[in-house]
Amino acid sequence: MRSIKSPYEVELLRDALSVIDKAHLAVPSFLCEGMMEIELAALFEAEMRKRVYSGCCKMRAFNQDLFLGNTLSGSSGCAPSFFDGPVGGNGVAVTHPHGAGWKKVNRNEVVYIDYTCMVQGTVKAAIDIGSKRV
């Protein structure tokens, strides 16, 4: 929250960025045509959790909790949701209409992976990977 960080806080930020960076670098090893968004999300989340990712991040600006993140492909990126952000997703059920769903990832469509990373429950860093084509 402060613009000037202590050396300890800077190290936590570096740790968080390292976790999410390594998870993104692993995506090409398991992303494939025909897999479901929820499967891709689970594999990405497993990569982060192997590296001490805590899972749930508080979002002060939105006054919401962000559980893990968002993995979408193709037209799912246009699906509206109650999330106060630019990308929604269909989710896995009507009771949870946000994020990765049962849609299959198709060839030549955008894959969107947007997660936050929290290390030791105190500091979070957000990274948008942008897009990658299958």
Side-chain angles (χ1 to χ4, degrees):
M1 289 178 37
R2 295 172 305 136
S3 61
I4 298 174
K5 305 292 185 206
S6 71
Y8 174 71
E9 290 171 310
V10 169
E11 190 59 34
L12 287 176
L13 284 166
R14 284 191 177 122
D15 289 348
L17 291 169
S18 175
V19 167
I20 203 163
D21 188 43
K22 288 174 183 171
H24 278 117
L25 290 171
V27 170
S29 70
F30 51 78
L31 174 61
C32 61
E33 180 181 2
M35 73 187 319
M36 292 179 290
E37 291 172 343
I38 195 72
E39 179 184 6
L40 175 58
L43 292 169
F44 184 81
E45 292 158 14
E47 289 295 324
M48 291 181 62
R49 291 211 180 239
K50 288 180 207 175
R51 295 170 176 88
V52 198
Y53 174 53
S54 62
C56 187
C57 295
K58 299 292 183 189
M59 296 189 330
R60 182 175 165 244
F62 294 113
N63 196 25
Q64 300 175 9
D65 289 342
L66 178 64
F67 182 71
L68 301 173
N70 211 346
T71 302
L72 306 168
S73 65
S75 61
S76 292
C78 297
S81 75
F82 291 104
F83 176 64
D84 188 14
V87 179
N90 296 316
V92 293
V94 174
T95 57
H96 188 75
H98 177 75
W102 304 111
K103 181 190 170 301
K104 290 188 177 184
V105 177
N106 296 307
R107 181 175 293 280
N108 293 322
E109 71 180 358
V110 171
V111 171
Y112 175 84
I113 298 175
D114 181 15
Y115 279 68
T116 61
C117 184
M118 191 175 255
V119 172
Q120 297 186 22
T122 56
V123 177
K124 67 181 176 183
I127 297 276
D128 274 331
I129 191 172
S131 63
K132 180 190 184 324
R133 292 192 182 269
V134 179

